[in-house]
Amino acid sequence: VVGEEKMSVRKRLSKFSNHAEEEDEHQRDCAEESQEAPSNGRVDLKQLISKKIQLTAEAEELKPFFMKEVGSHFDDFVTNLIERSTSLDNGGCALTSFSVFEGDNNHRAKDLRAPPEHGKIFVIRRSVLDELLEVDHIRTIYHMFIALLILFILSTLAVDYIDEGRLVLEFNLMSYAFGKLSVAMWTWFTMFLCTLIVPYFLFQRWARGYHRTSHPLVYSFIHCFLFVVFQIGVLGLGPLYVVLAYTLPPASRFIVILEQIRFIMKAHSFVRENVPRVLNSAEKKSSTVPVPTVNQYLYFLFAPTLIYRDNYPRTPTVRWGYVTMQFAQVFGCLFYVYYIFERLCTPLFRNIKQEPFSARVLILCIFNSILPGVLILLLIFFAFLHCWLNAFAEMLRFGDRMFYKDWWNSTSYSNYYRTWNVVVHDWLYYYAYKDFLWFFTKRLRAAAMLAVFAVSAVVHEYALAVCLNFFYPVLFVLFMFFGMAFNFLVNDSRKRPIWNVLMWTSLFAGNGVLLCFYSQEWYARQHCPLKNPTFLDYIRPRSWTCRYVF
């Protein structure tokens, strides 16, 4: 099909060039005839104008055809090229989940399973938005968001001037959210030192002693148990205790909890990728033990990826101007979110105690929350998945910048989940989904997908519950039930544009529901505090009965 389309392009190009040559000859003939027969000049001019109009129309028709061809086939071409190069590196017979079996080997395909060590391939590539923002049409959308931020600032200043009689530039909400930041920073530093020392020391001790021990199974079990204790006891309960004991505000809690999850995933990836190498070395009775260096592990802890490799593709230089711009955009997004809360969210939710909870209030709240919810979603995506990760990638000369794909073009939720956050998706795919299939065979794909959804939903709900200091499983219900149902019902077979519209519609509605429910609960707990709350009070929704308690 691609070959036929390329031939079509060539035919249209040759037709276009033939028209151009005819036009040049016609212009020369017209010039000669105009000198010899001036009386025919009016007729020749009309022919020239008609020819130019025809060529311009064909050129305009050809331009979108090229854009469509490039957009639909370039990604497939690069992906196939990478897979073919991987097959060549393995002697042309790599047995991965992307392998193509031909001829007599077709009957063996279903009996072969890819070893878990066949994982992600890192290549030098730019982020999608870095490429798109070079297009003037896309950059105009970026400028529109900046203009909207300016209007939010002017709106806040105008309202403050009308209410207070003076220009007020106060950031009380932001200063509250990032309160006790020093506690969050030393907690992060402690987590970092523990993650740097303990997993590396345990793995190095196990790897160097595995060849010499007479009881390798018991020896491995002891070190595995110590590693699990570290993951749960130190990285799991330690930061959680600090967050609760010091009553950190929401933004400071998010810093600690998200970094806690990141370090747990990093430590798991380091051990998961290196243990098979030691086992293979012991099986081959090699004299060298494949233990990574401390510098390699340290680089991995800061690299914007959750998949460990000894080496990554690197860019030649660091563009410090690019780094500065990315961090500036992160701070700009923070102020953007602040003004969204200040102008769109706070006036909507701060008077919740004056209105009883009802279906009318809930429906109006959801629809009024859709716009700020979508804006916050886009800003979080741009600030973290693009600006923050690209800034660290540039400082570390990390070459593979595919932290996300074109998720906005998704026509199915399964594609959206794969492309929204590639960094986390890769970890879940290789260490949860593929390992599940490795242990329980490929016949349990639905069970593996269900397990991945459950893990992701629980972790998301854990982060929100700890950071907001209450348990309200709205995200868990939307993610685990509706999200999983959409993943199976609206699958990759849906390709028509209407499915992209439906995907965006449900995404808008979902973010409105999340912002409405969690904001209502937050303000209800602020307006209706309990003197001696029990454990059940932390998990029972306060927004449903706030008018009675108050």
Side-chain angles (χ1 to χ4, degrees):
V1 175
V2 175
E4 293 177 357
E5 290 172 346
K6 290 181 178 178
M7 289 298 295
S8 176
V9 172
R10 293 193 187 99
K11 290 179 181 179
R12 301 184 70 166
L13 280 174
S14 61
K15 181 180 179 182
F16 183 82
S17 61
N18 291 336
H19 278 298
E21 292 175 359
E22 293 176 1
E23 174 63 19
D24 292 338
E25 294 177 358
H26 183 71
Q27 289 181 0
R28 288 194 295 269
D29 293 340
C30 287
E32 294 175 357
E33 292 177 0
S34 63
Q35 294 177 356
E36 297 175 358
S39 61
N40 295 331
R42 186 180 300 275
V43 177
D44 295 335
L45 182 60
K46 290 182 178 180
Q47 292 179 354
L48 179 63
I49 293 174
S50 64
K51 280 288 186 180
K52 284 188 176 181
I53 293 175
Q54 181 182 358
L55 289 174
T56 303
E58 290 192 5
E60 290 296 329
E61 181 184 358
L62 194 62
K63 181 170 65 174
F65 180 79
F66 273 119
M67 296 298 293
K68 182 179 179 180
E69 291 302 309
V70 171
S72 61
H73 295 295
F74 181 74
D75 288 341
D76 294 338
F77 169 76
V78 174
T79 302
N80 292 332
L81 185 63
I82 294 172
E83 293 171 5
R84 290 173 61 187
S85 66
T86 307
S87 177
L88 291 175
D89 291 339
N90 289 277
C93 55
L95 301 178
T96 67
S97 58
F98 305 105
S99 297
V100 178
F101 296 89
E102 300 178 354
D104 297 334
N105 293 328
N106 280 334
H107 66 280
R108 298 178 56 195
K110 60 183 180 181
D111 297 326
L112 296 173
R113 291 185 296 172
E117 58 267 19
H118 282 277
K120 180 180 175 66
I121 301 172
F122 290 89
V123 296
I124 295 180
R125 48 191 165 185
R126 301 172 64 192
S127 291
V128 177
L129 283 184
D130 277 341
E131 297 176 345
L132 291 179
L133 288 174
E134 293 180 355
V135 181
D136 292 337
H137 303 290
I138 305 299
R139 194 162 187 84
T140 299
I141 300 177
Y142 173 77
H143 295 160
M144 292 166 60
F145 274 87
I146 297 177
L148 187 59
L149 173 60
I150 295 173
L151 290 178
F152 273 127
I153 296 174
L154 294 177
S155 173
T156 304
L157 292 176
V159 171
D160 290 341
Y161 183 78
I162 293 173
D163 293 341
E164 304 290 337
R166 60 188 178 90
L167 295 178
V168 181
L169 279 176
E170 296 179 352
F171 301 97
N172 296 329
L173 181 61
M174 186 173 293
S175 60
Y176 161 73
F178 287 93
K180 300 182 181 180
L181 190 59
S182 59
V183 178
M185 290 297 100
W186 69 252
T187 304
W188 176 89
F189 186 71
T190 304
M191 287 192 297
F192 167 74
L193 286 182
C194 292
T195 308
L196 176 64
I197 296 173
V198 177
Y200 185 83
F201 172 77
L202 283 176
F203 173 76
Q204 185 185 54
R205 180 181 174 84
W206 171 81
R208 299 192 185 281
Y210 183 81
H211 297 72
R212 300 189 297 265
T213 182
S214 57
H215 302 284
L217 186 61
V218 176
Y219 185 79
S220 300
F221 177 80
I222 293 174
H223 284 80
C224 179
F225 176 77
L226 293 176
F227 178 71
V228 172
V229 169
F230 166 77
Q231 291 278 74
I232 298 176
V234 179
L235 287 183
L237 299 179
L240 182 61
Y241 170 80
V242 173
V243 163
L244 299 179
Y246 287 86
T247 60
L248 297 184
S252 299
R253 290 192 178 203
F254 268 108
I255 294 174
V256 174
I257 296 302
L258 294 183
E259 285 296 285
Q260 172 201 43
I261 297 172
R262 185 178 73 93
F263 283 132
I264 290 175
M265 297 170 77
K266 290 258 188 183
H268 177 85
S269 176
F270 174 75
V271 173
R272 173 64 184 80
E273 293 290 340
N274 285 288
V275 165
R277 298 166 58 187
V278 176
L279 296 178
N280 292 334
S281 174
E283 184 179 354
K284 297 177 181 178
K285 298 181 179 180
S286 175
S287 59
T288 59
V289 180
V291 177
T293 64
V294 177
N295 289 336
Q296 290 173 326
Y297 181 50
L298 180 62
Y299 180 89
F300 168 65
L301 289 181
F302 284 99
T305 179
L306 297 174
I307 307 295
Y308 175 81
R309 295 291 183 269
D310 287 341
N311 298 288
Y312 299 92
R314 309 281 287 275
T315 55
T317 57
V318 177
R319 299 171 295 171
W320 290 108
Y322 178 85
V323 174
T324 304
M325 183 62 182
Q326 299 308 310
F327 281 126
Q329 291 180 133
V330 171
F331 285 108
C333 289
L334 286 177
F335 283 100
Y336 212 140
V337 172
Y338 163 76
Y339 282 110
I340 290 174
F341 273 104
E342 190 71 23
R343 301 308 310 153
L344 300 179
C345 297
T346 302
L348 181 64
F349 297 108
R350 64 185 169 192
N351 295 322
I352 186 176
K353 64 179 180 180
Q354 300 176 2
E355 299 184 33
F357 185 84
S358 63
R360 174 185 175 277
V361 172
L362 182 61
I363 293 175
L364 290 178
C365 173
I366 291 175
F367 280 100
N368 289 331
S369 301
I370 288 178
L371 176 59
V374 171
L375 289 176
I376 292 172
L377 173 74
L378 297 177
L379 288 170
I380 290 174
F381 158 74
F382 183 74
F384 179 71
L385 291 176
H386 179 73
C387 298
W388 185 265
L389 295 184
N390 269 293
F392 275 89
E394 187 67 28
M395 288 189 294
L396 296 171
R397 298 193 293 116
F398 185 82
D400 197 334
R401 312 286 175 89
M402 195 184 69
F403 309 125
Y404 56 90
K405 298 179 183 177
D406 58 336
W407 57 270
W408 47 86
N409 292 326
S410 298
T411 56
S412 67
Y413 265 88
S414 55
N415 185 68
Y416 169 75
Y417 292 141
R418 289 193 300 266
T419 55
W420 158 259
N421 187 343
V422 174
V423 179
V424 174
H425 172 267
D426 286 341
W427 193 94
L428 290 173
Y429 177 73
Y430 289 111
Y431 303 140
Y433 181 75
K434 288 195 71 174
D435 281 355
F436 187 97
L437 294 180
W438 177 254
F439 285 114
F440 299 103
T441 74
K442 290 186 177 181
R443 290 175 293 181
L444 300 178
R445 291 184 181 275
M449 190 176 299
L450 178 64
V452 171
F453 264 96
V455 170
S456 182
V458 168
V459 172
H460 278 79
E461 192 59 45
Y462 160 77
L464 274 181
V466 174
C467 296
L468 298 179
N469 201 30
F470 59 82
F471 177 73
Y472 199 22
V474 180
L475 178 62
F476 180 84
V477 172
L478 290 180
F479 198 97
M480 189 64 190
F481 296 99
F482 292 98
M484 187 173 60
F486 287 152
N487 180 71
F488 286 101
L489 296 177
V490 188
N491 50 42
D492 289 330
S493 63
R494 317 292 185 180
K495 299 295 184 182
R496 297 175 64 84
I498 185 62
W499 294 105
N500 182 252
V501 175
L502 294 177
M503 192 275 295
W504 273 107
T505 303
S506 59
L507 197 62
F508 284 1
N511 280 277
V513 169
L514 291 176
L515 183 62
C516 172
F517 275 85
Y518 282 109
S519 297
Q520 277 191 341
E521 185 66 20
W522 170 269
Y523 278 96
R525 290 177 180 269
Q526 300 300 314
H527 294 313
C528 306
L530 299 180
K531 294 183 179 180
N532 297 309
T534 63
F535 175 76
L536 290 178
D537 292 324
Y538 285 103
I539 64 176
R540 183 185 296 121
R542 194 82 52 85
S543 57
W544 296 2
T545 58
C546 179
R547 64 187 186 278
Y548 301 118
V549 178
F550 186 81

